[in-house]
Amino acid sequence: MSSERQARLADRIRVLIAERLEKGLRDPRLGFVTITDVRVTGDLQHASVFYTVYGDEKAREDSAAALKAATGMLRSEVGKHLAVRLTPSLEFILDALPENAGHITELLREAQERDAAVAGLAAGAAYAGDADPYVKPREDDEDDEA
């Protein structure tokens, strides 16, 4: 039951923060930020907000500073719309999702190249022994039985 409540609260916090960021903050440093996930602790006292930023490293740094500066205001906004006794503290964490996705894409490309190389070797390969390695009764044994 508690994990369901955590999930509902996390989802609600994600929606509230995303809506607030969509309306805009008065901070010019904030770039194009997407809230990817929110995780709430079991006691509902702390929320880790994962986000991505479209742009280069400078855009990420500027957006991180803007979110850090706006944490109090965003927590107040969340507190107004949640029906909980204590508003959870917010921690903004840059989600490494795009970097991980790029790394996984690179690994998949390497695996595909290796598979193609193995398939090329297998196409021109011949058996090391007989084509049919299973032992069959000799024809001589069949004549002896008759």
Side-chain angles (χ1 to χ4, degrees):
M1 178 76 173
S2 178
S3 62
E4 287 180 26
R5 186 168 183 212
Q6 275 178 273
R8 281 196 317 265
L9 187 64
D11 190 48
R12 186 70 182 133
I13 290 171
R14 183 182 59 79
V15 169
L16 289 170
I17 292 175
E19 286 175 352
R20 184 61 184 101
L21 292 178
E22 191 176 302
K23 290 178 188 173
L25 297 177
R26 291 186 183 151
D27 196 330
R29 299 176 292 178
L30 188 67
F32 187 72
V33 174
T34 303
I35 304 299
T36 56
D37 193 21
V38 175
R39 295 191 187 137
V40 180
T41 57
D43 61 0
L44 309 178
Q45 295 298 305
H46 182 76
S48 298
V49 181
F50 294 88
Y51 68 96
T52 59
V53 179
Y54 182 75
D56 58 359
E57 189 62 34
K58 177 150 177 39
R60 287 187 200 106
E61 290 172 5
D62 289 348
S63 293
L67 286 171
K68 186 174 175 90
T71 300
M73 185 273 300
L74 290 170
R75 184 175 182 214
S76 300
E77 188 82 18
V78 167
K80 284 183 207 172
H81 295 91
L82 288 181
V84 292
R85 189 168 54 92
L86 296 171
T87 303
S89 61
L90 301 177
E91 176 187 13
F92 288 93
I93 302 169
L94 181 64
D95 198 348
L97 187 70
E99 291 81 14
N100 290 345
H103 180 68
I104 290 171
T105 302
E106 179 64 25
L107 291 174
L108 287 172
R109 187 191 56 74
E110 284 180 28
Q112 189 175 21
E113 288 175 0
R114 289 180 184 167
D115 285 350
V118 168
L121 290 173
Y127 291 106
D130 294 330
D132 188 6
Y134 298 104
V135 177
K136 294 191 174 40
R138 293 189 308 214
E139 292 178 15
D140 298 347
D141 292 339
E142 291 174 7
D143 293 338
D144 291 342
E145 292 175 7

